[in-house]
Amino acid sequence: MKAPITVSVTGAAGQIGYALLTRIASGSMFGPDQPVNLRLIEIEPAMGALEGTVMEMDDCAFPLLNEIVPTCDLNEGFRGADWALLVGSVPRKAGMERADLLGINGKIFTGQGQAIAGNAASGVRTLVVGNPCNTNCLIAMNNANGIPNEQFFAMTRLDENRAKSQLAAKAGVHNSAVTNLCIWGNHSATQYPDFTNAKIDGKLVTEVISDRAWLEGEFISTVQQRGAAIIKARGQSSAASAANGVVDTIRSLTTPTPEGDWTSVAVCSDGSYGIPEGLIASMPIRSDGQNWSIVQGVELDDFSRTKLDASVAELSEEREAVKDLIPS
Ligand code: NAD
Ligand code: LMR
């Protein structure tokens, strides 16, 4: 039997937490032969609800679940973590943009970054889900002294999955036929789901879907506004699909990317594609199962460049808005 991986999850009693924990403990995230320890972090008022979630986890009798520790103490919660999944934060309500949450949620990520640096395993990798996830990740990364920037990620995989599903439906093919779909920029209404480089059954999407007006218009806005559409329909933000996005992100980072393909995740920019260094921006990524790299040489036409620049400008504005939370 392999040694267990320790996964810390914040906001574990919330909607996404509820959908996510069973996926981790059942082996969907790290594979069917990988035991896991779960360290579940909540704020004090939600500890009762977390107790209920833990009871349900016990009742699943998961063969791969080695240990489960519920806590509202950040140091205890991140102790020995190999993965820190930062979900805990307030979701937006109808009519809000995700960036409107910055004032409420941003400060959560200073203490969490510090606690990760102080307690987690040195190779800990952190995925931020709580919104606005790119800039919350920026805050956590800059407060996690000593943890390399390459070990921080923010989630845009849900957007990638949404975009693939829309393209597949339009082309009348299965989701799995859509590859090379990159979400560029921010997990926000400015994100750019890049149809110009995406492929369907190995052919450029633009050769398969001739309706350019749909690609430039309805397709992009549907993906950009999908989170808001779900809030309008459910009265609550996405949860099962968000949890699935977390599982997909981590599987994609921990298994080799299929030949010729890439996946979307927001990472610390090294200046690639003219994205200012240090911003957490979504880009095309490949993994060899251990290490990841930004795919270079993806062509951006004028349309794509304008879209990417707008999203990057928004990320720069968000960084400016939280500068007090980032140690100099
Ligand atoms: P939720 O309100 O159901 O649950 C959030 C949980 O976080 C609550 O249980 C709350 O007690 C807890 N929490 C709040 N502050 C905390 C803190 N400081 N430490 C630990 N826990 C804390 O919300 P949800 O639906 O699970 O969504 C969580 C976040 O994920 C929201 O910000 C939402 O907007 C975001 N989200 C992001 C994506 C994405 O694609 N990046 C997708 C869906 C949702
Ligand atoms: C989503 O994309 O579903 C989440 O970011 C939740 C939201 O506020 O849209």
Side-chain angles (χ1 to χ4, degrees):
M1 202 64 164
K2 291 179 175 173
I5 284 182
T6 298
V7 186
S8 298
V9 182
T10 68
Q15 290 200 90
I16 296 175
Y18 192 74
L20 179 62
L21 299 181
T22 49
R23 301 283 307 273
I24 303 173
S26 66
S28 301
M29 188 173 276
F30 296 105
D33 61 347
Q34 177 58 65
V36 288
N37 298 323
L38 283 174
R39 303 187 81 85
L40 308 182
I41 303 170
E42 262 297 349
I43 48 174
E44 175 60 39
M47 287 305 286
L50 183 58
E51 199 183 317
T53 302
V54 171
M55 287 160 71
E56 287 207 56
M57 293 294 287
D58 289 343
D59 295 349
C60 292
F62 287 114
L64 291 171
L65 183 55
N66 186 56
E67 183 189 41
I68 185 160
V69 177
T71 181
C72 57
D73 179 284
L74 290 180
N75 295 325
E76 188 184 11
F78 290 117
R79 191 159 299 138
D82 298 299
W83 279 94
L85 309 181
L86 307 188
V87 179
S89 53
V90 176
R92 66 174 163 158
K93 302 275 182 300
M96 293 170 77
E97 289 300 330
R98 297 177 185 94
D100 297 337
L101 296 169
L102 215 39
I104 311 169
N105 287 339
K107 53 187 177 294
I108 294 174
F109 294 84
T110 57
Q112 292 188 355
Q114 290 157 9
I116 290 169
N119 297 278
S122 59
V124 62
R125 284 176 279 179
T126 297
L127 174 67
V128 180
V129 177
N131 277 321
C133 62
N134 298 56
T135 299
N136 288 337
C137 181
L138 179 88
I139 296 167
M141 180 183 82
N142 280 286
N143 281 279
N145 232 335
I147 309 277
N149 292 352
E150 298 73 45
Q151 291 169 211
F152 283 83
F153 309 90
M155 187 166 94
T156 51
R157 180 55 172 268
L158 174 56
D159 308 293
E160 175 185 326
N161 289 346
R162 287 168 172 168
K164 284 179 165 171
S165 159
Q166 294 297 319
L167 291 174
K170 180 78 173 173
V173 299
H174 191 264
N175 296 323
S176 57
V178 186
T179 62
N180 301 84
L181 193 296
C182 176
I183 302 293
W184 294 94
N186 200 359
H187 173 63
S188 75
T190 67
Q191 66 178 274
Y192 174 47
D194 180 2
F195 63 86
T196 67
N197 288 293
K199 294 181 178 164
I200 292 177
D201 285 324
K203 285 189 190 156
L204 285 174
V205 159
T206 47
E207 290 168 15
V208 179
I209 298 174
S210 55
D211 188 350
R212 182 89 189 184
W214 180 84
L215 288 168
E216 289 188 4
E218 194 180 330
F219 163 66
I220 294 178
S221 61
T222 299
V223 178
Q224 290 174 332
Q225 295 298 334
R226 188 68 164 187
I230 287 167
I231 292 170
K232 191 163 173 236
R234 291 181 81 227
Q236 286 189 304
S237 62
S238 62
S241 57
N244 184 66
V246 176
V247 173
D248 284 352
T249 305
I250 288 168
R251 279 206 77 70
S252 290
L253 287 168
T254 54
T255 56
T257 310
E259 190 62 36
D261 202 0
W262 55 63
T263 188
S264 307
V265 63
V267 295
C268 182
S269 176
D270 60 357
S272 294
Y273 298 101
I275 300 170
E277 259 181 69
L279 285 181
I280 302 287
S282 185
M283 289 186 250
I285 298 299
R286 283 185 59 78
S287 172
D288 64 8
Q290 303 284 331
N291 301 303
W292 61 268
S293 57
I294 298 168
V295 178
Q296 299 297 332
V298 176
E299 280 193 31
L300 293 171
D301 61 13
D302 289 348
F303 179 85
S304 301
R305 188 73 248 172
T306 306
K307 294 285 182 197
L308 171 57
D309 287 349
S311 200
V312 167
E314 182 184 49
L315 284 171
S316 297
E317 280 165 27
E318 288 184 14
R319 175 163 67 180
E320 183 59 23
V322 299
K323 61 177 191 285
D324 292 349
L325 301 177
I326 296 178
S328 44

